[in-house]
């Protein structure tokens, strides 16, 4: 589709938030050529880090997610006969419920564990042994654990795929997938062939502590040409802000990275503002950058969108909810379709859905 047509679709969609929840996925669907090979390669893979994805696999995954989102009723049996083990040993609203919603919407069945003390873990059973048991009972595992090592500890014993749904301060790869999916749905021109469109991304958060930010930065590094600038806003020194390798990965990819402790300076130039204040550390969460918050009086660009991946705190005022800047609700909604796409690939059902139009 040529750029003018894409823009017309996006404009139309922006005028119909009542119907489409701020964006119509068809514009993204049209911007990406189908290539099923990349999706097939995800069969039975464990997903523990955003580093596992390459650019083309991501685009194909987003295409499939957009296909689900554009035609939600056509895929209600794609995962029939499959069982998801949903194990969340830490509080979650968005991730657990969107994974479970995704699986239900595709016709699968679910076993959900929301408290590790109801499993053999409370009696000293190892994660590897629990994993061995999971092989017998389900077809895919989604795990959230405060312990960063848990996903890898379990992986060795699993013959069914496991997805890291957030492991301490380490990673939250599927949240990052949902974040990038939202950005590309908002502006599919970014990945249109021959496009020179770029956006200025502002992330208010702490990459060394926040798993959502850590995973998102890894995906940003795969699409350097989409970002004119990436600004990280927090009140830490650079050495506290980044773990070893984080900044280097972005710079090596050619991303133009800035840091700032002054939100007011940065906001007027930002196209996408991603804000989050929570990091899970140990068995609880800490808040960072409490002095940074945005509301409807903040100096946002007229067309800027705001994303927020986690439970809302004082950093994001409700006064933004009924403004066109609010893409955080669309972000949470889109995560269901993104997870539908990923789950379908992992449990080898992707060929069933590629032929459905
Ligand atoms: N995105 C995310 O991790 O949110 P929850 O903690 O609500 O799952």
């Amino acid at each position: 589709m040529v750029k003018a047509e894409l823009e017309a679709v996006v404009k139309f969609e922006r005028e119909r938030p009542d119907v489409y929840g701020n964006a119509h996925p068809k514009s993204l669907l049209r911007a990406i050529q189908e290539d099923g090979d990349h999706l097939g390669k995800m069969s039975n893979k464990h997903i523990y880090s955003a580093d596992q994805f390459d650019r083309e696999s991501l685009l194909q995954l987003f295409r499939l997610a957009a296909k689900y989102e554009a035609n939600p009723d056509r895929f209600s049996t794609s995962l029939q006969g499959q069982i998801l083990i949903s194990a969340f040993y830490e509080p979650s609203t968005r991730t657990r419920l969107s994974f479970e919603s995704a699986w239900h919407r595709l016709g699968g069945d679910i076993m959900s564990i929301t408290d590790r003390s109801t499993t053999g873990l409370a009696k000293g059973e190892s994660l590897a042994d629990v994993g061995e048991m999971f092989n017998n009972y389900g077809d895919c595992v989604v795990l959230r654990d405060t312990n960063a090592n848990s996903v890898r500890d379990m992986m060795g014993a699993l013959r069914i795929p496991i997805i890291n749904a957030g492991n301490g301060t380490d990673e939250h790869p599927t949240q990052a997938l949902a974040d990038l999916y939202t950005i590309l749905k908002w502006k599919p021109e970014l990945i249109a062939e021959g496009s020179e469109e770029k956006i200025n991304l502002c992330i208010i958060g702490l990459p060394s502590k926040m798993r959502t930010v850590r995973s998102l930065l890894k995906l940003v590094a795969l699409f350097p040409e989409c970002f004119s600038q990436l600004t990280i806003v927090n009140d830490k020194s650079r050495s506290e802000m980044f773990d070893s390798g984080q900044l280097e990965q972005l710079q090596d990819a050619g991303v133009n990275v800035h840091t700032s402790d002054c939100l007011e300076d940065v906001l007027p130039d930002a196209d996408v503002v991603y804000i989050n204040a929570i990091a899970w550390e140990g068995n609880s969460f800490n808040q960072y950058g409490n002095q940074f918050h945005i509301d409807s009086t903040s100096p946002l660009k007229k067309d800027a969108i705001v994303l927020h991946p986690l439970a809302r705190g004082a950093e994001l005022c409700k006064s933004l909810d009924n403004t066109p800047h609010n893409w955080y609700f669309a972000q949470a909604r889109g995560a269901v379709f993104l997870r539908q796409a990923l789950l379908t690939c992992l449990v080898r059902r992707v060929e069933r859905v590629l032929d459905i139009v």
Side-chain angles (χ1 to χ4, degrees):
M1 180 181 266
V2 295
K3 194 170 172 221
E5 283 177 279
L6 274 174
E7 280 170 357
V9 171
V10 171
K11 182 172 180 299
F12 168 76
E13 291 154 4
R14 284 188 183 144
E15 289 165 1
R16 300 295 306 275
D18 53 324
V19 177
Y20 297 118
N22 297 345
H24 198 296
K26 278 191 179 158
S27 47
L28 180 58
L29 196 56
R30 291 181 194 125
I32 305 170
Q33 291 295 314
E34 182 169 329
D35 179 355
D37 277 2
H38 291 274
L39 298 182
K41 286 179 193 150
M42 291 185 209
S43 285
N44 219 33
K45 288 270 188 302
H46 300 313
I47 303 296
Y48 49 89
S49 167
D51 274 331
Q52 291 173 256
F53 293 93
D54 59 40
R55 185 191 163 88
E56 198 49 42
S57 306
L58 283 180
L59 290 176
Q60 293 304 317
L61 200 60
F62 296 152
R63 189 179 197 285
L64 182 57
K67 188 169 168 170
Y68 279 135
E69 189 166 0
N71 302 290
D73 299 331
R74 295 200 192 147
F75 303 94
S76 58
T77 60
S78 306
L79 295 187
Q80 218 165 42
Q82 299 276 303
I83 298 174
L84 179 71
I85 300 174
S86 166
F88 276 71
Y89 305 143
E90 184 199 291
S92 168
T93 303
R94 288 152 200 76
T95 315
R96 180 168 78 85
L97 297 179
S98 64
F99 263 116
E100 295 190 5
S101 174
W103 196 270
H104 276 303
R105 284 165 192 262
L106 295 173
D109 297 307
I110 292 176
M111 295 185 296
S112 194
I113 309 166
T114 56
D115 184 346
R116 66 191 300 148
S117 71
T118 63
T119 72
L121 295 171
K123 296 181 277 191
E125 190 172 23
S126 69
L127 281 165
D129 279 358
V130 173
E132 186 57 51
M133 297 306 110
F134 281 180
N135 288 321
N136 303 312
Y137 310 140
D139 300 288
C140 184
V141 182
V142 179
L143 178 69
R144 170 170 291 185
D145 200 310
T146 50
N147 184 340
N149 298 322
S150 295
V151 178
R152 285 175 188 274
D153 286 351
M154 199 170 252
M155 263 164 51
L158 282 171
R159 295 182 293 283
I160 57 175
I162 184 169
I163 301 174
N164 176 7
N167 60 336
T169 59
D170 186 30
E171 283 219 46
H172 196 346
T174 62
Q175 181 59 49
L177 295 176
D179 299 340
L180 189 57
Y181 175 62
T182 310
I183 291 172
L184 295 182
K185 226 172 22 171
W186 165 66
K187 216 173 250 298
E189 307 93 293
L190 287 170
I191 46 149
E193 213 168 299
S195 167
E196 295 191 359
E197 187 86 30
K198 292 177 189 294
I199 56 167
N200 182 338
L201 172 63
C202 168
I203 294 182
I204 304 155
L206 190 54
S208 61
K209 299 277 189 194
M210 294 173 177
R211 61 196 181 199
T212 52
V213 177
R214 187 188 302 280
S215 292
L216 179 57
L217 294 183
K218 290 173 186 288
L219 297 192
V220 167
L222 294 176
F223 291 86
E225 80 288 359
C226 296
F227 301 95
S228 56
Q229 183 171 313
L230 164 65
T231 307
I232 313 277
V233 178
N234 62 57
D235 55 0
K236 304 291 183 201
S237 66
R238 273 207 175 198
S239 60
E240 291 175 283
M241 204 179 294
F242 296 104
D243 277 344
S244 170
Q246 280 188 299
L247 184 57
E248 293 79 1
Q249 185 177 27
L250 290 160
Q251 290 173 332
D252 290 350
V255 181
N256 178 18
V257 186
H258 293 243
T259 58
S260 174
D261 61 3
C262 182
L263 188 55
E264 302 297 305
D265 282 354
V266 169
L267 280 185
D269 294 320
D271 299 302
V272 176
V273 179
Y274 173 107
I275 186 164
N276 167 41
I278 292 176
W280 267 91
E281 294 178 82
N283 288 322
S284 188
F285 65 91
N286 289 318
Q287 288 191 289
Y288 292 93
N290 285 333
Q291 72 274 38
F292 302 119
H293 65 272
I294 56 174
D295 60 32
S296 58
T297 67
S298 297
L300 292 164
K301 262 184 169 176
K302 184 170 168 287
D303 294 336
I305 64 165
V306 174
L307 303 181
H308 188 294
L310 300 181
R312 184 204 323 240
E315 71 280 358
L316 176 63
C317 182
K318 283 173 69 71
S319 63
L320 279 163
D321 287 2
N322 293 321
T323 73
H325 301 301
N326 174 1
W327 275 62
Y328 36 92
F329 291 163
Q331 176 189 16
R333 178 177 182 275
V336 175
F337 305 105
L338 182 282
R339 289 181 168 124
Q340 285 186 330
L342 182 66
L343 290 165
T344 308
C345 294
L346 298 187
V347 298
R348 289 173 287 200
R349 288 284 172 96
V350 72
E351 279 170 15
R352 285 194 190 190
V353 298
L354 287 180
D355 290 339
I356 301 174
V357 289

